[in-house]
Every structure is written in structure tokens, then in C-alpha cells.
Amino acid sequence: MKDQKAILHKCLRNDWPAFVIAGTDVCAVEAMEAYLQIAKAKGCNTAFLDDMKLVIDEMRQFQQEEPELIKIPD
């Protein structure tokens, strides 16, 4: 799985826009699943899609293990 922090730091270093979804966001898993479907439709390669699935699984696991931290973003 790609290092998500490294991707964010690369965007920040290059002053590129980035979209970050925190694990504590109640919408995170659904948003990432929607992105995965869009990425499939756009023709992203299998390695990228597989990596996204791993990130989604990691997010889902976090939310299951830490339900008291999950909230509606404000």
C-alpha cells in the first residue's frame, strides 16, 4: 500500500491541491468507495485500484475498532 502521508507531503511540497478524509469522518468509507467506483470507470490501473481497496479496508477497520471516535465532520 502506498504511504498516504508521503502522497500528502508530495502535494504540499509542490503546492498541489489535495483532498484528505480523516478516519474519524463518518462519511469516509462511503466517500472512498464512491471514489473507487469512479476510478474504475475512468480506467485506473489494477495496482491503483487494489491499493485503494487496501486503504478502504484500513479505514473500515479503524472505524470498527474505534467507534467512539467516529463523528459527523464539523
Side-chain angles (χ1 to χ4, degrees), residues 62-71:
F62 170 79
Q63 289 192 351
Q64 289 171 349
E65 292 175 357
E66 306 287 345
E68 69 282 357
L69 299 176
I70 310 311
K71 62 180 183 151

Side-chain angles (χ1 to χ4, degrees), residues 10-29:
K10 182 177 181 180
C11 289
L12 292 171
R13 264 194 320 275
N14 291 296
D15 198 28
W16 296 338
F19 183 81
V20 177
I21 301 175
T24 57
D25 186 328
V26 70
C27 304
V29 172

Side-chain angles (χ1 to χ4, degrees), residues 52-69:
M52 277 301 305
K53 290 175 190 174
L54 291 174
V55 173
I56 293 169
D57 289 344
E58 182 181 15
M59 186 75 70
R60 185 178 287 113
Q61 181 179 353
F62 170 79
Q63 289 192 351
Q64 289 171 349
E65 292 175 357
E66 306 287 345
E68 69 282 357
L69 299 176

Side-chain angles (χ1 to χ4, degrees), residues 13-50:
R13 264 194 320 275
N14 291 296
D15 198 28
W16 296 338
F19 183 81
V20 177
I21 301 175
T24 57
D25 186 328
V26 70
C27 304
V29 172
E30 289 175 277
M32 294 171 67
E33 288 172 336
Y35 178 84
L36 178 61
Q37 294 309 311
I38 295 166
K40 285 179 184 178
K42 297 285 184 182
C44 290
N45 68 46
T46 303
F48 178 82
L49 298 174
D50 290 344

